[in-house]
Amino acid sequence: MSIKLSDLAADLQADVPARNSLPSADQYQRCVEESVADFGRRVGRRKIETLSIVSGTATYSLPTDFVKLVKLESLEFPDGVMHTAAG
């Protein structure tokens, strides 16, 4: 299901009508954008991804909608030692 940003802003404007031209149309839209972003941070959809770790590779491609790492399920290191740039 998807809802247009303009529809959400219009709904907000109907629920909270402007007084003396405040909030403006841009402020309604920004409010919706910030609310959606906040909701996504608090109760975003979690996805399970697998990364194939290759020796000598410093960076890996992540999904385009990646925001943050919630949990790293398992890592195996030779001899139990993790080699990092910091030592």
Side-chain angles (χ1 to χ4, degrees):
M1 179 174 112
S2 63
I3 300 172
K4 292 181 181 179
L5 175 61
S6 58
D7 292 341
L8 289 172
D11 287 347
L12 179 60
Q13 191 169 8
D15 290 342
V16 184
R19 288 187 181 176
N20 299 323
S21 301
L22 291 173
S24 68
D26 289 342
Q27 289 172 320
Y28 280 116
Q29 182 167 325
R30 191 172 61 237
C31 181
V32 170
E33 290 170 349
E34 291 175 2
S35 297
V36 169
D38 185 54
F39 179 79
R41 282 189 296 275
R42 292 173 188 249
V43 290
R45 184 174 58 112
R46 293 185 179 179
K47 291 173 48 178
I48 296 174
E49 293 291 332
T50 301
L51 295 175
S52 297
I53 307 301
V54 178
S55 179
T57 303
T59 61
Y60 296 89
S61 297
L62 297 172
T64 56
D65 58 350
F66 177 83
V67 175
K68 68 179 177 179
L69 178 66
V70 175
K71 180 179 178 184
L72 190 56
E73 193 65 33
S74 67
L75 280 177
E76 293 181 14
F77 301 104
D79 304 318
V81 177
M82 183 171 156
H83 299 279
T84 68

